[in-house]
Every structure is written in structure tokens, then in C-alpha cells.
Amino acid sequence: MSNRYYRPDKPVSGKWKKLRDLMIRSDNRICADCCTPDPKWATIGCRCYRSANIGVFICLKCSEVHRSLGAEISKVLSLTLDEWSETDMDSMIQVGGNSYANSIYEAFLPKDYPKPKPDSSNEERTKFIRSKYVSQDFLTPSLRIVSSKLSFQTLESGKELGCSVTSNSSKKNEETGQFLGNLKVKIVRGSNLAVRDMLTSDPYVVLILGQQKAQTTVKKSNLNPVWNEELKFSIPQRYGALKLQVYDHDVLSADDIMGEAEIDLQPMITATMAFGDSELLANMQIGKWLKTSDNALVKDSIVNIVDGKIKQEVLLKLQNVESGEIELELEWMPLDE
């Protein structure tokens, strides 16, 4: 095992293993700010500063800029040299890595804005990093994140943040305790699904979240079915991926699998906790789930506020099967709805 993620004189804890697993994901193998390969540093951020938990992996040059901002804004740690506290590891794990953090801090990054490159000057890096994390120029001005709204506490949202103000979302979580909210999943359609009978299939979709399970109706003899069916789930404080499976219905034998995929809920939930009451906001993009080689996305999945509702369109390429795509629409629903 590489010693990159732990001190040689210490046993590898469960959290160290999670941090290591997070680091080897493809989006975390490049610097979050300039895309330099093989970053060996991380910046945690300060929960009582407006930047909240930053939680990204960065290169040496960008780490120097972050360190210049001061520890009260950006706490910088080496992945190989520094001691990591339990809180430090929790912060990184809860954010989820570069893609999730950038989906917030770069949600409104203009296409023509010069993001630093590996060979960029220190001036260029400093300008971008200060704009991204300190003045938060890539968020709409009225929604610049404060620590009370963006602490990335999706796994432990009841934990004391050490700040004097808590968001309405956090208060609601404390009152309801068990769940963060509800999720409505609309199974829109499938396309080019695999053949499991003579010339066709009788597909249906199953969704699983922990112990919760729901499924659509069966579409007879259809490789391009249109369901437009809504399934609802309660999202617990500790949630995992939403698992999707497609089956071919058989009368005389066990149903055949027609592919599967996982839906990462963290981009939507992180954006929801960050932006508060969506009914008070105009239509806008608030987050993004990025397509990578590690997930089943056909293209980037955008989290939007649409007429006061938080929605996310998702197009998935089914895994472990010869063909097939599934189109979904997610909608976040507060617990009181």
C-alpha cells in the first residue's frame, strides 16, 4: 500500500481509507483550481468563515496561494507530511471531492473566464483563487455562500458547526431528526434497451435507496419505453447512492437484468442545503454533477431552480449491459410537503 495517505507509524483507520478512496477518484487526480495532475495537498477551509468547508485537492503552487489567504480562510494540509485530525478528515469526506466543491464554487464560472493552467503564473492563480473562494464571484451576488448555509454537513447535519448562525434548513433538520427531505424521481423514458426475449423485452425500472425500494410498471415489448412515472423516497441523514436497475419481466422464469446504474445524490443535496428556500429564488443553475469515467452519466447533470422547485435532469448509460439509456428527473421536496 502506498504511504501517500497515512503516516507510517500509525494504523490505517476507516476514515483514512475513505480519504484515500476519495483521492484516487478521477476528478480528484487533478488540482481543483488549475488541473495540475497528481495533487498532493488539500485545503479544508474554515467553517466560521464565509467560505465554509472548501474540501478540495490541490497542487503545490495552488496550495501556496491558499496558504497566503490565512488559516482562518483556507486551512492547507499535505497528504503525506501533516497530521490530520478526525475533523479534517470528516471535512474532506463530507464535501466529496473536487467535482462536488466545484459544482458550487464554479456554478456560474463564465465560459470565457481564464481558469488557471498548470503553467500559469502566481498572479493568475491568486486572482482566480481569491475570486473563487473569498469574494465568490462565480455565485450570483445575492447567494454568496456563508458558513451557515454551506458547511457540507449532509452526512452529519445535526453536528454543531461552531458558528453563531444556523440556516433554516439546518433548523428543520434538527426538528425532524431522521430525514433531510423527500426526493421525487420521475422515470421519463428508456432508449435502445437490451433485447432479452426473442426480438424485444418487457422492461421495468427498480430504484433502491437503503431499505426503500420502488418500481415502475412493465412496458410490454418495448425497447424505447416511455414511463413518465414518479417514485418517491425519504432521504435519511446518512444516505448513499440511489441504485437503478432495469429488468425484463418474465412470466415463467426469473426476470432478467437489463442493466444498472447509480445516481449520486450529493450534488443535489449539497446545492439544496447551500441555497435555502428555493421558492424565494429566481430560476437559475445552483449545482452540477459532472460526467466522469467513474459514473454512468451520458453528460453533465445540472441542478436548477425551476419555478421555485429544485430539479435535476439525469441521463444515464446503463452499466454491465450491451446497450441502453435511462432518462430521469429528480425533484427535491421539503419534509413538510
Side-chain angles (χ1 to χ4, degrees), residues 58-271:
I58 54 177
C59 68
L60 175 61
K61 291 180 179 179
C62 287
S63 75
E64 293 171 350
V65 177
H66 277 272
R67 190 177 287 109
S68 72
L69 302 178
E72 73 280 3
I73 298 176
S74 184
K75 179 180 179 181
V76 178
L77 292 171
S78 167
L79 295 170
T80 58
L81 302 175
D82 290 325
E83 289 279 356
W84 284 61
S85 69
E86 293 286 311
T87 300
D88 294 333
M89 289 186 281
D90 282 340
S91 296
M92 291 297 297
I93 293 166
Q94 288 166 2
V95 172
N98 293 355
S99 290
Y100 300 123
N102 283 347
S103 72
I104 295 294
Y105 287 105
E106 296 182 8
F108 296 95
L109 179 67
K111 291 183 178 180
D112 57 351
Y113 193 96
K115 186 170 179 175
K117 298 178 181 179
D119 60 352
S120 292
S121 67
N122 186 66
E123 282 187 1
E124 292 171 318
R125 292 173 196 274
T126 300
K127 179 181 178 182
F128 177 79
I129 288 170
R130 293 189 69 87
S131 296
K132 179 177 176 179
Y133 299 107
V134 181
S135 58
Q136 299 173 351
D137 292 342
F138 312 132
L139 299 169
T140 54
S142 61
L143 292 173
R144 287 175 183 166
I145 300 171
V146 294
S147 58
S148 62
K149 284 191 175 182
L150 181 59
S151 57
F152 292 102
Q153 296 295 308
T154 53
L155 297 180
E156 297 181 86
S157 61
K159 189 186 232 178
E160 177 60 44
L161 301 184
C163 300
S164 60
V165 182
T166 56
S167 68
N168 290 334
S169 298
S170 298
K171 290 179 180 177
K172 190 172 292 185
N173 290 340
E174 292 175 4
E175 293 169 0
T176 54
Q178 188 176 4
F179 296 106
L180 295 169
N182 297 316
L183 183 69
K184 183 165 64 177
V185 183
K186 184 177 183 180
I187 312 296
V188 180
R189 61 172 60 87
S191 59
N192 195 30
L193 299 184
V195 174
R196 288 294 179 266
D197 296 329
M198 289 291 292
L199 298 173
T200 187
S201 297
D202 303 325
Y204 65 94
V205 177
V206 176
L207 293 179
I208 302 170
L209 181 65
Q211 301 299 313
Q212 303 175 67
K213 184 176 181 179
Q215 69 181 62
T216 66
T217 58
V218 176
K219 295 296 183 181
K220 292 289 186 179
S221 303
N222 198 334
L223 299 180
N224 296 283
V226 176
W227 280 284
N228 284 322
E229 296 180 20
E230 294 180 348
L231 308 175
K232 186 177 179 181
F233 294 86
S234 296
I235 307 301
Q237 298 282 349
R238 296 178 180 270
Y239 59 89
L242 178 63
K243 298 181 179 180
L244 179 147
Q245 299 170 331
V246 182
Y247 287 93
D248 170 50
H249 177 68
D250 286 321
V251 176
L252 301 179
S253 61
D255 294 349
D256 298 316
I257 188 74
M258 296 175 62
E260 58 191 349
E262 289 192 350
I263 303 161
D264 194 335
L265 300 179
Q266 188 167 5
M268 168 172 271
I269 295 174
T270 297

Side-chain angles (χ1 to χ4, degrees), residues 5-71:
Y5 303 104
Y6 71 101
R7 305 259 316 194
D9 56 334
K10 291 194 171 187
V12 180
S13 70
K15 287 183 180 178
W16 269 119
K17 183 179 184 302
K18 288 182 179 179
L19 185 62
R20 180 194 62 194
D21 292 344
L22 185 66
M23 179 59 192
I24 62 177
R25 280 184 7 197
S26 61
D27 58 314
N28 297 326
R29 294 174 191 160
I30 60 174
C31 174
D33 295 331
C34 75
C35 297
T36 294
D38 196 27
K40 291 184 173 63
W41 298 81
T43 177
I44 308 298
C46 174
R47 288 176 178 174
C48 289
Y49 184 73
R50 55 189 290 167
S51 62
N53 285 358
I54 296 175
V56 294
F57 298 97
I58 54 177
C59 68
L60 175 61
K61 291 180 179 179
C62 287
S63 75
E64 293 171 350
V65 177
H66 277 272
R67 190 177 287 109
S68 72
L69 302 178

